[in-house]
Each structure stands twice: as structure tokens, then as C-alpha cells.
Amino acid sequence: MQQPPDRHQITTYLQGLQEQICTALEQADGSGTFREDHWQRPGGGGGRSRVLADGTIIEKGGVGFSAVEGEASEATLRQLNLTDRAAGPPPTFYATGVSIVIHPRNPRVPIIHMNVRYFELSNGTYWFGGGIDLTPHYVVPDDARWFHQQLKTVCDQHDPSYYPRFKTWADDYFFIPHRQETRGVGGIFFDYLKESDTVSKADLFAFHRAVGESFAPIYTHFMQQNHNLPYSPREQHWQGLRRGRYVEFNLAWDRGTKFGLETNGRTESILMSMPPQANWIYDYHPEAASPESDTLAWLRKGVNWADV
């Protein structure tokens, strides 16, 4: 029987994943290089943040690794739905992961996000989580179909139930309630994955790795395919507005952002997902039957991209 991975093995793997992804992005961009910052968390642990700015294709991109630990505050336990526990001092936690957000220069290249993470408590509770989702400034159905097919292939290699479950979870998670629109065309999202009678910790770690390793081939495909497509000030204007929606989701609804801030994580690293510029226009409505209004029509839950 395969030995279950421990947190040291998982952490070492994630450090290497950050390296692999940064190398692939630099090669695909052609001119940009990542700046690296090492940081320590006062309560325990730290991380390695890497940011690429003003590249040929990537206007701003962050690839962060962290491994933090400490006492789990009541606020953290509430966020993790762990308030129903035995009396006594709160448990300590250990959390490690890689988180990525890329904002491209050309509005025809989509924004992308990925996060793969592992969390454990001193009481023996652990889980894997993560996901990958695509936020085009302009929705192109062929691109969305291709993206979802890549994710479905990854999921199906581990469990055929994963893609439909995690695709629906992504639709629900990457949703902006105050706008009544999805952040983009979705992807997959999963959390609290634990071993059971049918799946081992080693199996879950294999799936976790497969999701992480899918990122570079998927996004470099879009970089290479779309970065030379023409665009005008009109498309840049729309890009700024869509970036504004991205900011709204991350600051108001994203659990990872809230967890980082509530556990005294490094603010610069937590907020490196923010775009270099974003715009808000009061009560803005695009012209009817325009590419912009067509994009808004796609930003809804439940689109079965496999059949569109």
C-alpha cells in the first residue's frame, strides 16, 4: 500500500510547482522575469512571493508559495466551519499552497487564477483544496470549451464524478452576488477533500498534483494563441471594467483573501492578485448586441461548456 504523504512532502512538492510554473510563464512571455520576495509570518511560517510586471504578454502576474502555521483563532475556525469542537485550547493549524493570478496586457488574453492548497490541524483533521478558473475579458465560446475540456480530462483520470461536481462548485464559488454574474467562465473548485473508504490520501494528493501541473500548459496555450490579436482603446476600456469586477470578487467574497488577512498573512502577497489598473463607471451598461453585452450574457451559472 502506498504511504500517505506527510506535510513535509506536500510542502516540498508545492515549492517545486512554483518553480516550474514561473519558468514556464517566463519562457512564454519572452521578456518578463519574476521578482522574488521571501517573507516570514509573525505567528509562524512564511512564504515566497514572485511577481512579474510589465512583460511582453503579462502585465502583472503573481505566483505565490506559502507555508504558515500557528494557533487557529476563533475567526479562522468559524471561517473553516470548525466551531463544533471539544472544549479546551484551540488547535494549531498548518497551511501550505501555491496561488496564482495572471493579468495579461492584451484584452484578448484571459485572466486566469489557480490555487492548490493543503491544510491540517493538530487534532488530526486535514484536507486538500484548490481550483482553477478562467476570466476572459471577452468570452470566446471555443476558448471556454477548450479550457473546460482540459480540466475535464484531468478530473476524469482520477474520478469521473470530479468534473461535474467541481465545475458546479466553481460556478457557485466564483459568483459575484451583488452583481448577479459569475466572475468568468468558471472552471473547477474543490475544498475539504479527505480520505474515505474509496479514496486515499495518496489518491487525493495525486489529483492535487494533476490540477497544479495543468496550469502551465493551459495558460501558455492562451498566451501564445491570443497575445498578437489586435485590440483598440475600446477593448482596453472594457478590460479595465472587467478587472474592476475581479477586484470586487477578491475583496468582498474570496475565502482565501479573507483567510490570509485574518491569519496575519503578508498583505502584499495576499493582494498580489489585484490588477495593475482597474476602472469603475457609475451605472455602466454596454451597447445592446455588442461584444461587451454578449460577454455579459455568458456570465451565468450552469453553462455546460462541453455542449455549447
Side-chain angles (χ1 to χ4, degrees):
M1 179 181 293
Q2 189 175 1
Q3 285 293 108
D6 60 28
R7 77 185 196 183
H8 173 73
Q9 292 170 300
I10 296 168
T11 302
T12 299
Y13 167 76
L14 290 169
Q15 288 174 311
L17 179 65
Q18 184 196 37
E19 294 275 1
Q20 295 166 22
I21 289 172
C22 288
T23 297
L25 291 173
E26 287 181 344
Q27 291 175 348
D29 183 86
S31 69
T33 57
F34 281 94
R35 164 189 170 180
E36 179 176 282
D37 291 324
H38 291 259
W39 52 274
Q40 296 295 315
R41 176 180 172 273
R48 185 173 64 185
S49 296
R50 292 180 174 174
V51 174
L52 187 157
D54 298 322
T56 300
I57 302 173
I58 298 172
E59 188 170 6
K60 180 188 175 189
V63 182
F65 162 80
S66 62
V68 299
E69 58 189 322
E71 184 177 293
S73 68
E74 291 300 327
T76 298
L77 292 172
R78 283 196 301 273
Q79 186 179 337
L80 299 172
N81 298 315
L82 294 173
T83 53
D84 184 17
R85 59 181 180 84
T92 58
F93 75 89
Y94 181 84
T96 184
V98 169
S99 184
I100 305 167
V101 174
I102 306 295
H103 293 283
R105 188 177 300 280
N106 188 326
R108 301 298 184 183
V109 182
I111 303 167
I112 197 168
H113 157 264
M114 186 194 77
N115 176 275
V116 284
R117 58 190 177 274
Y118 172 75
F119 190 97
E120 70 176 35
L121 292 171
S122 54
N123 63 12
T125 300
Y126 81 85
W127 62 83
F128 292 93
I132 178 170
D133 70 292
L134 198 70
T135 304
H137 306 97
Y138 288 91
V139 174
V140 178
D142 284 347
D143 286 352
R145 278 193 294 269
W146 183 88
F147 173 70
H148 276 268
Q149 187 58 57
Q150 305 311 301
L151 297 182
K152 185 176 186 300
T153 298
V154 170
C155 290
D156 286 353
Q157 291 170 350
H158 295 267
D159 187 327
S161 74
Y162 279 177
Y163 175 75
R165 284 170 54 200
F166 300 158
K167 191 268 184 190
T168 299
W169 204 340
D171 279 357
D172 291 336
Y173 183 81
F174 297 110
F175 184 72
I176 309 174
H178 60 271
R179 299 290 188 180
Q180 287 297 297
E181 63 187 38
T182 55
R183 187 167 79 173
V185 297
I188 58 172
F189 178 84
F190 55 94
D191 212 356
Y192 307 114
L193 295 191
K194 306 173 187 178
E195 64 186 308
S196 67
D197 292 340
T198 58
V199 62
S200 69
K201 188 175 184 181
D203 293 332
L204 294 174
F205 186 37
F207 172 64
H208 193 249
R209 296 196 307 270
V211 173
E213 290 164 18
S214 73
F215 175 86
I218 286 173
Y219 197 59
T220 56
H221 164 83
F222 286 118
M223 290 171 68
Q224 293 159 0
Q225 173 183 274
N226 293 9
H227 82 277
N228 279 326
L229 295 177
Y231 63 93
S232 69
R234 171 178 175 153
E235 285 79 28
Q236 288 180 296
H237 172 76
W238 179 246
Q239 179 184 45
L241 295 175
R242 297 313 306 161
R243 285 175 170 181
R245 292 288 203 269
Y246 205 91
V247 171
E248 289 178 23
F249 175 85
N250 277 26
L251 294 182
W253 301 102
D254 184 65
R255 289 211 310 257
T257 301
K258 292 180 180 180
F259 175 81
L261 295 174
E262 289 180 355
T263 56
N264 296 316
R266 182 174 183 255
T267 302
E268 288 299 314
S269 299
I270 296 165
L271 299 182
M272 72 180 183
S273 63
M274 298 297 105
Q277 294 92 28
N279 293 329
W280 287 264
I281 295 177
Y282 179 75
D283 200 27
Y284 178 82
H285 298 280
E287 297 174 15
S290 66
E292 293 78 16
S293 65
D294 289 347
T295 284
L296 291 182
W298 284 115
L299 300 182
R300 63 184 191 272
K301 297 181 184 182
V303 179
N304 184 353
W305 287 106
D307 295 332
V308 170

